[in-house]
Amino acid sequence: MRRTRRADEPLLPGSAGYPLGFVAAVAVTLMTVTTHATDHPLWSLTALAATTATVAVVTTLPAALATAAVCWALHAGFVLGRRGDLQLSAAAADAALVLCVVVVLAYLAGVALRRISPGACSARGRARRVEEASCQGTLVTITPGTNSNRPLSRSAL
């Protein structure tokens, strides 16, 4: 039997969220390096921060922090360092701080969204709301007399 997800539980477990973040971070860094955007480290940091934020919204905090660490290592190694050597400079420290702040804020935003609207993030919740709102295929009848405590009843056609 399928286990239902709690309202405050992330959409992706950490075992899926971290690999997703890792692959996305590598793809963003590859695009940054191949388009010669390494001359503009802020562009790379912005793209990696967006990647980190996206992962943080849908997965666990440890997976999001691990994704931020990978993003920082790729940024410090291939954008600031250019050859895969980690550059432990002020710019690298600033990038680490930015990514950590982004992770915490995005994770908290994801938790808040899941608590405010528990079914909004899942396809199953959207399908259930559509089914409940749909009257197609049902016949509404008014039954006077014996069932007066239930004036409206729906029955399938």
Side-chain angles (χ1 to χ4, degrees):
M1 182 167 194
R2 209 170 194 181
R3 184 179 77 85
T4 58
R5 189 175 57 82
R6 290 188 336 242
D8 60 343
E9 190 175 335
L11 297 175
L12 292 175
S15 59
Y18 171 65
L20 172 70
F22 182 87
V23 170
V26 169
V28 166
T29 304
L30 278 173
M31 284 192 319
T32 300
V33 171
T34 57
T35 59
H36 304 289
T38 54
D39 295 334
H40 306 283
L42 189 58
W43 295 356
S44 167
L45 183 59
T46 302
L48 289 170
T51 301
T52 302
T54 303
V55 171
V57 167
V58 298
T59 192
T60 63
L61 185 58
L65 288 170
T67 298
V70 169
C71 287
W72 173 81
L74 290 169
H75 181 71
F78 292 99
V79 176
L80 299 176
R82 310 282 173 99
R83 299 210 190 295
D85 297 327
L86 288 179
Q87 296 296 311
L88 302 177
S89 62
D94 290 344
L97 179 64
V98 166
L99 291 171
C100 286
V101 169
V102 165
V103 163
V104 171
L105 293 177
Y107 178 76
L108 292 175
V111 169
L113 285 173
R114 288 189 296 271
R115 287 189 179 165
I116 291 170
S117 181
C121 295
S122 70
R124 195 176 330 149
R126 283 190 299 272
R128 188 175 305 123
R129 283 193 303 276
V130 168
E131 288 173 3
E132 289 171 358
S134 173
C135 294
Q136 191 172 10
T138 60
L139 176 64
V140 177
T141 59
I142 298 175
T143 311
T146 60
N147 290 335
S148 60
N149 60 347
R150 289 179 50 202
L152 294 175
S153 66
R154 293 173 61 161
S155 61
L157 290 176

